[in-house]
Amino acid sequence: MASAAVDQMLLGREDPKGFSFENCRRNAFMAKQGVSLPKARSTGTTICGVIFNEGVVLGADTRATGGSIVCDLNCEKIHYIADNVYCCGAGTAADTEFTTRMVSSRMELLKLRTGREGRVISALRMLKQYLFRYQGYVSAALVLGGVDVTGPALYTVYPHGSTDKLPYVTMGSGSLAAMSVFEDSYKVGMNEEEAKKLV
């Protein structure tokens, strides 16, 4: 019935305007012949983090893509900030790498000046002020986590500089699927092994 409607629509016009249904018949014919049709492919980053009773677990995929092309299967998306602070990055790889290296060097200078290990909130403030200055043109979506004298802390930092503090976070194109898993399985007071398995 749908095929007849498509035929009727195409016969009435020489140059159809709007969406073209020409491939519908081809796809139906190919499916009948046993040819498998192409599947949708996920081509983005998923980064996440969760707080457990004594610390933070961060996780990221390792695939770097350029559009629909997989450029690198072993890309490191978890960046060192300080001995007690790490950060996952999604977005433009160069932006996340530069931003995290810059904050890492500033955290080291802070440690040398004060003689104490830097706090997670110090790295957060540096990141959010830098990203806010560029109003989202630096494409770095970050999950920042670490442990300091105040205990474990986990934050999301959006490319325009806004932040959230939550017990579990996800970012990137796969964040909705990851968040559904976290919402289903997260519980307060998890141990390290449970947190690793969840992430």
Side-chain angles (χ1 to χ4, degrees):
M1 181 168 186
S3 181
V6 171
D7 289 340
Q8 187 63 28
M9 183 191 78
L10 291 174
L11 289 176
R13 299 183 191 171
E14 287 181 16
D15 182 25
K17 303 290 186 234
F19 189 80
S20 173
F21 291 92
E22 294 174 4
N23 290 333
C24 292
R25 287 189 305 272
R26 181 204 67 186
N27 291 348
F29 175 77
M30 289 173 65
K32 285 180 185 175
Q33 299 298 318
V35 177
S36 62
L37 298 175
K39 303 283 188 248
R41 185 186 320 162
S42 173
T43 59
T45 294
T46 304
I47 56 176
C48 58
V50 64
I51 290 178
F52 64 95
N53 55 9
E54 298 171 3
V56 176
V57 176
L58 298 175
D61 64 338
T62 59
R63 188 175 61 182
T65 59
S68 62
I69 298 170
V70 177
C71 303
D72 185 4
L73 290 172
N74 198 17
C75 177
E76 291 186 17
K77 296 181 184 178
I78 300 179
H79 306 278
Y80 172 88
I81 301 290
D83 291 337
N84 61 325
V85 183
Y86 281 80
C87 184
C88 297
T92 304
D95 287 346
T96 60
E97 185 70 28
F98 175 80
T99 302
T100 54
R101 280 189 182 176
M102 184 255 317
V103 170
S104 178
S105 67
R106 287 185 182 178
M107 288 291 286
E108 184 64 25
L109 290 172
L110 180 68
K111 179 181 174 183
L112 292 171
R113 188 173 7 157
T114 62
R116 293 187 303 232
E117 200 68 55
R119 292 187 178 188
V120 181
I121 196 76
S122 302
L124 176 72
R125 184 174 175 135
M126 291 174 195
L127 284 167
K128 71 192 297 185
Q129 286 180 337
Y130 176 76
L131 292 172
F132 180 76
R133 185 180 313 134
Y134 290 97
Q135 294 290 307
Y137 287 102
V138 174
S139 178
L142 306 168
V143 170
L144 179 72
V147 180
D148 56 26
V149 294
T150 63
L154 185 64
Y155 300 92
T156 56
V157 187
Y158 292 89
H160 48 79
S162 69
T163 60
D164 290 324
K165 180 179 182 179
L166 297 164
Y168 55 91
V169 296
T170 63
M171 290 190 90
S173 61
S175 64
L176 296 177
M179 184 57 78
S180 68
V181 173
F182 277 25
E183 287 176 347
D184 182 56
S185 303
Y186 177 80
K187 60 183 184 281
V188 177
M190 290 192 303
N191 62 35
E192 185 177 355
E193 287 306 314
E194 290 173 325
K196 284 180 181 177
K197 186 177 178 184
L198 179 59
V199 169

